[in-house]
Amino acid sequence: MDNKQLWDSVLAEIEVSVSKANFLTWFKNTKIVKQDNGIIHVGVPNEFVKEWLLSKYDRQILKIFRNISENIRGVEYIIVSLSSTRGIENPQSPTHNTGAFTPELPLNDLYINREDNLNPRYTFDNMVIGAFNELAHSATMAVIKHPGSAYNPLFIHGGTGLGKTHLAQAIGNQIKSMKTGKKVYYTPAEKFAIDYLNSVQNRSMNEFKEKYRRYDVFIMDDVQFMASKERTQEELFHLFNALYENNKQVIFTSDKHPNLLHGFEDRLKSRFGAGMIVDITNPEYEARVSIIQHKLKTSNFSLQPDMIAFIAESIECSVREMEGIVNSIVCQARFKNRELSINEVKMIIKNSIVPKKTASVKDVIRVVSEFYNIEEASLFEKTRKKEIVKPRQIAMYILREDFSISYPTIGEKFGGRDHTTVIHSCDKVKNSIKTNSTLTDELEQIRALL
């Protein structure tokens, strides 16, 4: 494995635990300069990045290298003059380090079009379609064929790492490739909010409005980021109306269904659901096999069918996590120059998947009741006594936030309460912990007991 392959494999493993913003900030324009007697020399663009990697990611980086090969003893960072296409020049003196590291997006994600923010890597050609995303895919095909009229807006929701961004950007790239003359623009909700605040501070609201209203296809990713941002939501509301009234296609992605988005005005949530709402779920077994095969093909690597079947049966996670696991397997197999054993693959899977909490509803109720020294049965009573209401709200909050149990299910477990009651309880705790440090400490202690 050459230096580029080795570093690309390391970066690929970072996929599932580092945000896109952090990845672009700290890992862009880095590469392996050389390997020398078990020491990996990583080139970085400046002193600031070097110090940050040393203090924040060093131990993780070394851990990933050590998982690839036990012969790697350490990592050194070298400040270099980097060119994206010409390699490395003028290395400065290295600083030795030992440690391990952190993961997220592959280098291809850096090459985006500045005019429309679209990443050419996100296309339908490199997307696996299965039961988990079939409806969402069909809806996008209709949007591409009749933008602005088929499903407007198109709202795609699903958990982290399931391919929402890929699907949304693929629409934009496909419309561009058809040479329809339509102007496409993709933006994360966070960037839109920052642009809006900057325009307010700079008194350039007219330029802001003109910028976003001139597009034929407008794609906003991770709209849940705008929760409780009232002024930004109001601007988005007006932007949506302007685009919609002129038959411009609008596409949103979110981690939740519009009805479950908290901190949003009802009028905006009603706009989200005015067209077509589709969800993406965790891929089923057949889709997991296809995803693994596709990832192996793009990595120019092959595994025996029984090994692929074993991997697909052993993991039930997001597309992003699966790709990270396959990257790890490919990386280690190439480095060791042999096929990995089942036990080695099991270890990679074990080390790659974030453990899921498995406490039951009964466990949460028991621990919360014991913590506040009340009877478990009292949590189910229809009483508004303060000494009962607070523990009940906390139990509901933990079940929702830590174990992702649905609001209706929580309400059913607590004596058949309506899901809106559960939502109110969760919101009450969520808002209280922002200012109540005592409550925050209590939550930490309860979680430690689970």
Side-chain angles (χ1 to χ4, degrees), residues 369-385:
S369 300
E370 291 176 354
F371 186 85
Y372 289 104
N373 195 27
I374 60 175
E375 295 292 330
E376 290 184 25
S378 63
L379 292 178
F380 307 101
E381 296 174 356
K382 293 186 180 300
T383 177
R384 301 184 68 83
K385 293 180 179 178

Side-chain angles (χ1 to χ4, degrees), residues 59-250:
R59 292 181 58 193
Q60 265 184 306
I61 292 173
L62 182 57
K63 182 179 179 181
I64 291 183
F65 277 124
R66 293 279 294 171
N67 285 339
I68 296 172
S69 173
E70 294 180 356
N71 294 326
I72 296 176
R73 299 183 292 108
V75 183
E76 292 182 357
Y77 300 106
I78 303 171
I79 301 173
V80 297
S81 174
L82 290 172
S83 167
S84 60
T85 57
R86 297 180 184 176
I88 301 180
E89 301 172 324
N90 304 326
Q92 298 180 15
S93 58
T95 300
H96 183 70
N97 91 84
T98 58
F101 122 127
T102 297
E104 199 358 299
L105 298 168
L107 290 177
N108 285 344
D109 281 329
L110 304 178
Y111 306 134
I112 61 176
N113 187 314
R114 292 186 178 181
E115 294 295 320
D116 51 36
N117 278 343
L118 290 172
N119 185 334
R121 173 176 174 267
Y122 293 128
T123 67
F124 291 106
D125 290 338
N126 57 20
M127 174 179 286
V128 174
I129 308 301
F132 74 106
N133 64 359
E134 189 173 25
L135 178 60
H137 178 261
S138 297
T140 61
M141 292 296 102
V143 165
I144 290 169
K145 190 173 182 180
H146 302 290
S149 59
Y151 301 122
N152 200 19
L154 175 63
F155 193 99
I156 306 169
H157 69 95
T160 301
L162 294 179
K164 300 185 300 295
T165 297
H166 190 146
L167 196 60
Q169 290 212 33
I171 299 173
N173 282 318
Q174 184 71 16
I175 291 175
K176 278 177 57 180
S177 68
M178 294 168 63
K179 299 181 180 179
T180 58
K182 293 187 177 296
K183 295 179 180 178
V184 181
Y185 191 76
Y186 162 87
T187 181
E190 182 178 9
K191 184 180 184 301
F192 180 88
I194 292 172
D195 283 355
Y196 170 72
L197 292 176
N198 287 339
S199 70
V200 172
Q201 294 173 357
N202 299 330
R203 298 181 181 180
S204 56
M205 278 301 299
N206 288 335
E207 290 86 344
F208 174 85
K209 292 178 184 293
E210 290 175 4
K211 170 185 174 180
Y212 284 98
R213 281 162 172 73
R214 62 190 176 94
Y215 297 108
D216 302 296
V217 180
F218 177 70
I219 305 168
M220 177 172 283
D221 204 2
D222 291 327
V223 72
Q224 75 275 358
F225 174 83
M226 288 195 179
S228 302
K229 293 178 171 59
E230 296 179 4
R231 294 175 62 189
T232 309
Q233 285 185 32
E234 182 176 359
E235 188 57 38
L236 177 60
F237 175 79
H238 294 307
L239 170 61
F240 175 87
N241 288 340
L243 294 172
Y244 184 82
E245 289 168 2
N246 287 283
N247 297 320
K248 308 298 185 181
Q249 180 66 49
V250 183

Side-chain angles (χ1 to χ4, degrees), residues 220-407:
M220 177 172 283
D221 204 2
D222 291 327
V223 72
Q224 75 275 358
F225 174 83
M226 288 195 179
S228 302
K229 293 178 171 59
E230 296 179 4
R231 294 175 62 189
T232 309
Q233 285 185 32
E234 182 176 359
E235 188 57 38
L236 177 60
F237 175 79
H238 294 307
L239 170 61
F240 175 87
N241 288 340
L243 294 172
Y244 184 82
E245 289 168 2
N246 287 283
N247 297 320
K248 308 298 185 181
Q249 180 66 49
V250 183
I251 300 164
F252 295 108
T253 77
S254 170
D255 63 351
K256 297 181 182 67
H257 188 284
N259 292 343
L260 299 179
L261 286 172
H262 305 309
F264 280 81
E265 297 180 11
D266 289 339
R267 63 176 183 171
L268 191 53
K269 290 199 287 187
S270 70
R271 295 301 192 279
F272 292 156
M276 179 72 165
I277 301 173
V278 292
D279 71 330
I280 303 177
T281 60
N282 281 330
E284 69 284 0
Y285 170 76
E286 291 80 4
R288 295 199 296 271
V289 169
S290 297
I291 291 167
I292 293 168
Q293 291 173 331
H294 178 77
K295 185 63 180 177
L296 289 170
K297 182 179 180 181
T298 58
S299 300
N300 195 26
F301 195 83
S302 62
L303 288 174
Q304 296 297 324
D306 58 341
M307 181 66 82
I308 294 175
F310 171 77
I311 298 169
E313 289 171 354
S314 302
I315 56 179
E316 293 183 17
C317 55
S318 72
V319 176
R320 187 181 298 163
E321 286 177 307
M322 273 193 293
E323 290 182 340
I325 290 169
V326 174
N327 279 332
S328 298
I329 293 170
V330 171
C331 180
Q332 291 201 30
R334 279 179 169 159
F335 198 88
K336 296 176 179 179
N337 197 28
R338 62 172 174 80
E339 292 186 6
L340 301 184
S341 67
I342 289 290
N343 286 335
E344 287 175 313
V345 171
K346 283 182 179 179
M347 187 57 64
I348 291 173
I349 293 173
K350 179 182 177 181
N351 292 335
S352 299
I353 296 179
V354 178
K356 302 242 182 343
K357 296 181 180 179
T358 57
S360 66
V361 174
K362 290 182 179 179
D363 293 328
V364 174
I365 292 172
R366 175 183 55 78
V367 170
V368 171
S369 300
E370 291 176 354
F371 186 85
Y372 289 104
N373 195 27
I374 60 175
E375 295 292 330
E376 290 184 25
S378 63
L379 292 178
F380 307 101
E381 296 174 356
K382 293 186 180 300
T383 177
R384 301 184 68 83
K385 293 180 179 178
K386 185 177 180 180
E387 61 268 24
I388 303 299
V389 171
K390 177 185 173 182
R392 183 167 60 218
Q393 290 177 337
I394 287 175
M396 290 179 172
Y397 174 80
I398 290 175
L399 287 169
R400 177 60 185 174
E401 293 297 316
D402 293 23
F403 303 98
S404 300
I405 297 177
S406 69
Y407 294 115

Side-chain angles (χ1 to χ4, degrees), residues 18-43:
V18 174
S19 70
K20 184 173 183 178
N22 277 336
F23 181 85
L24 294 178
T25 301
W26 306 116
F27 293 97
K28 184 179 181 180
N29 291 336
T30 61
K31 58 166 53 175
I32 293 176
V33 179
K34 64 177 180 177
Q35 302 181 44
D36 183 23
N37 293 324
I39 304 298
I40 303 293
H41 299 258
V42 176

